[in-house]
Amino acid sequence: MGIELVIFIAAILFGIFLYWRESNGNGVYRFLNKMVNSKELQMSQDNPKGFVYKQSLLPRIIFVVTLVLVAALIVEFLTPIAVFNSYNGVSAFASFAVGTLFGTYIASFIISSSEVIEAQSGSIEDKLDDVVEKGKDFLEDLKNKDNKAVEEAKKEIENEPEKKMNEKSARERLKDKGLM
């Protein structure tokens, strides 16, 4: 189990490297496309698609498994290591294929998110500046509202003694009603 985990992590790193390498240039894929397809079916010059770069799931799986299978067959026949003779070899083969596939998707996510961040960086700064300015305005409004509320409360407190002086006492009101 330990060696499979190491193989899986190495395969993820290999998948990231494979995707990153193909995102910088797809010369091998373009050459193979020219060799296999007729002039009408060849990909355009501005198409960035590669074996794993900008490829859908099924062609990506086919390429990764074929690549790992060819590498395993080369190791099988040129070295004394028997890849397909035991469960451990087949398990390592499967771990490497799945890890490479995961690595390509991780690299795809990283490259896509970095492109989005670069595209949005200017607008994010503008939005952040707008938010800071609105926050400052809001705090100023709160301070002014608090000051207005305090001033109104002071006026009410100042006016209360005048109202009480103008009001009659309870005894005087009872006398006015004739109850006393």
Side-chain angles (χ1 to χ4, degrees), residues 170-180:
R171 180 176 292 248
E172 290 174 354
R173 285 183 295 200
L174 288 172
K175 282 183 184 179
D176 290 342
K177 290 183 181 178
L179 298 174
M180 221 177 151

PDB file of all heavy atoms in Angstrom, residues 170-180:
ATOM      1  N   ALA A 170     -51.059  68.447  39.445  1.00  0.00           N
ATOM      2  CA  ALA A 170     -52.236  67.589  39.593  1.00  0.00           C
ATOM      3  C   ALA A 170     -53.293  68.263  40.452  1.00  0.00           C
ATOM      4  O   ALA A 170     -54.492  68.171  40.168  1.00  0.00           O
ATOM      5  CB  ALA A 170     -51.830  66.256  40.194  1.00  0.00           C
ATOM      6  N   ARG A 171     -52.868  68.952  41.474  1.00  0.00           N
ATOM      7  CA  ARG A 171     -53.806  69.653  42.356  1.00  0.00           C
ATOM      8  C   ARG A 171     -54.570  70.717  41.592  1.00  0.00           C
ATOM      9  O   ARG A 171     -55.788  70.838  41.727  1.00  0.00           O
ATOM     10  CB  ARG A 171     -53.049  70.271  43.524  1.00  0.00           C
ATOM     11  CG  ARG A 171     -53.907  71.016  44.497  1.00  0.00           C
ATOM     12  CD  ARG A 171     -53.051  71.481  45.650  1.00  0.00           C
ATOM     13  NE  ARG A 171     -52.608  70.357  46.420  1.00  0.00           N
ATOM     14  CZ  ARG A 171     -53.008  70.087  47.669  1.00  0.00           C
ATOM     15  NH1 ARG A 171     -53.852  70.905  48.266  1.00  0.00           N
ATOM     16  NH2 ARG A 171     -52.598  69.052  48.310  1.00  0.00           N
ATOM     17  N   GLU A 172     -53.861  71.470  40.750  1.00  0.00           N
ATOM     18  CA  GLU A 172     -54.507  72.517  39.978  1.00  0.00           C
ATOM     19  C   GLU A 172     -55.474  71.938  38.965  1.00  0.00           C
ATOM     20  O   GLU A 172     -56.544  72.486  38.705  1.00  0.00           O
ATOM     21  CB  GLU A 172     -53.453  73.374  39.251  1.00  0.00           C
ATOM     22  CG  GLU A 172     -52.641  74.235  40.217  1.00  0.00           C
ATOM     23  CD  GLU A 172     -51.525  74.960  39.514  1.00  0.00           C
ATOM     24  OE1 GLU A 172     -51.288  74.719  38.294  1.00  0.00           O
ATOM     25  OE2 GLU A 172     -50.831  75.739  40.164  1.00  0.00           O
ATOM     26  N   ARG A 173     -55.144  70.820  38.381  1.00  0.00           N
ATOM     27  CA  ARG A 173     -56.065  70.197  37.420  1.00  0.00           C
ATOM     28  C   ARG A 173     -57.329  69.711  38.096  1.00  0.00           C
ATOM     29  O   ARG A 173     -58.419  69.816  37.563  1.00  0.00           O
ATOM     30  CB  ARG A 173     -55.351  69.045  36.695  1.00  0.00           C
ATOM     31  CG  ARG A 173     -54.354  69.543  35.659  1.00  0.00           C
ATOM     32  CD  ARG A 173     -53.755  68.401  34.946  1.00  0.00           C
ATOM     33  NE  ARG A 173     -52.966  67.634  35.923  1.00  0.00           N
ATOM     34  CZ  ARG A 173     -52.023  66.793  35.680  1.00  0.00           C
ATOM     35  NH1 ARG A 173     -51.726  66.505  34.440  1.00  0.00           N
ATOM     36  NH2 ARG A 173     -51.367  66.180  36.617  1.00  0.00           N
ATOM     37  N   LEU A 174     -57.173  69.156  39.303  1.00  0.00           N
ATOM     38  CA  LEU A 174     -58.358  68.702  40.049  1.00  0.00           C
ATOM     39  C   LEU A 174     -59.242  69.889  40.451  1.00  0.00           C
ATOM     40  O   LEU A 174     -60.461  69.790  40.416  1.00  0.00           O
ATOM     41  CB  LEU A 174     -57.953  67.907  41.295  1.00  0.00           C
ATOM     42  CG  LEU A 174     -57.383  66.512  41.038  1.00  0.00           C
ATOM     43  CD1 LEU A 174     -56.848  65.902  42.321  1.00  0.00           C
ATOM     44  CD2 LEU A 174     -58.437  65.618  40.437  1.00  0.00           C
ATOM     45  N   LYS A 175     -58.618  70.990  40.814  1.00  0.00           N
ATOM     46  CA  LYS A 175     -59.387  72.186  41.148  1.00  0.00           C
ATOM     47  C   LYS A 175     -60.147  72.705  39.945  1.00  0.00           C
ATOM     48  O   LYS A 175     -61.285  73.138  40.047  1.00  0.00           O
ATOM     49  CB  LYS A 175     -58.470  73.295  41.681  1.00  0.00           C
ATOM     50  CG  LYS A 175     -58.055  73.119  43.108  1.00  0.00           C
ATOM     51  CD  LYS A 175     -57.222  74.309  43.545  1.00  0.00           C
ATOM     52  CE  LYS A 175     -56.712  74.130  44.932  1.00  0.00           C
ATOM     53  NZ  LYS A 175     -55.878  75.239  45.372  1.00  0.00           N
ATOM     54  N   ASP A 176     -59.506  72.674  38.788  1.00  0.00           N
ATOM     55  CA  ASP A 176     -60.144  73.130  37.556  1.00  0.00           C
ATOM     56  C   ASP A 176     -61.359  72.267  37.224  1.00  0.00           C
ATOM     57  O   ASP A 176     -62.360  72.769  36.699  1.00  0.00           O
ATOM     58  CB  ASP A 176     -59.175  73.100  36.365  1.00  0.00           C
ATOM     59  CG  ASP A 176     -58.100  74.179  36.481  1.00  0.00           C
ATOM     60  OD1 ASP A 176     -58.299  75.122  37.262  1.00  0.00           O
ATOM     61  OD2 ASP A 176     -57.074  74.072  35.764  1.00  0.00           O
ATOM     62  N   LYS A 177     -61.324  71.017  37.532  1.00  0.00           N
ATOM     63  CA  LYS A 177     -62.442  70.136  37.239  1.00  0.00           C
ATOM     64  C   LYS A 177     -63.533  70.246  38.324  1.00  0.00           C
ATOM     65  O   LYS A 177     -64.608  69.706  38.183  1.00  0.00           O
ATOM     66  CB  LYS A 177     -61.973  68.685  37.142  1.00  0.00           C
ATOM     67  CG  LYS A 177     -61.132  68.433  35.907  1.00  0.00           C
ATOM     68  CD  LYS A 177     -60.763  66.979  35.830  1.00  0.00           C
ATOM     69  CE  LYS A 177     -59.906  66.713  34.622  1.00  0.00           C
ATOM     70  NZ  LYS A 177     -59.491  65.324  34.527  1.00  0.00           N
ATOM     71  N   GLY A 178     -63.210  70.902  39.363  1.00  0.00           N
ATOM     72  CA  GLY A 178     -64.171  71.091  40.441  1.00  0.00           C
ATOM     73  C   GLY A 178     -64.241  69.936  41.400  1.00  0.00           C
ATOM     74  O   GLY A 178     -65.184  69.770  42.140  1.00  0.00           O
ATOM     75  N   LEU A 179     -63.269  69.100  41.383  1.00  0.00           N
ATOM     76  CA  LEU A 179     -63.258  67.963  42.278  1.00  0.00           C
ATOM     77  C   LEU A 179     -62.574  68.270  43.605  1.00  0.00           C
ATOM     78  O   LEU A 179     -62.688  67.510  44.548  1.00  0.00           O
ATOM     79  CB  LEU A 179     -62.555  66.781  41.603  1.00  0.00           C
ATOM     80  CG  LEU A 179     -63.217  66.253  40.335  1.00  0.00           C
ATOM     81  CD1 LEU A 179     -62.361  65.193  39.702  1.00  0.00           C
ATOM     82  CD2 LEU A 179     -64.592  65.702  40.663  1.00  0.00           C
ATOM     83  N   MET A 180     -62.018  69.407  43.687  1.00  0.00           N
ATOM     84  CA  MET A 180     -61.350  69.732  44.907  1.00  0.00           C
ATOM     85  C   MET A 180     -61.721  71.072  45.409  1.00  0.00           C
ATOM     86  O   MET A 180     -62.021  72.003  44.790  1.00  0.00           O
ATOM     87  CB  MET A 180     -59.840  69.700  44.687  1.00  0.00           C
ATOM     88  CG  MET A 180     -59.165  69.080  45.818  1.00  0.00           C
ATOM     89  SD  MET A 180     -57.432  69.011  45.401  1.00  0.00           S
ATOM     90  CE  MET A 180     -56.845  69.093  47.006  1.00  0.00           C
TER      91      MET A 180
END
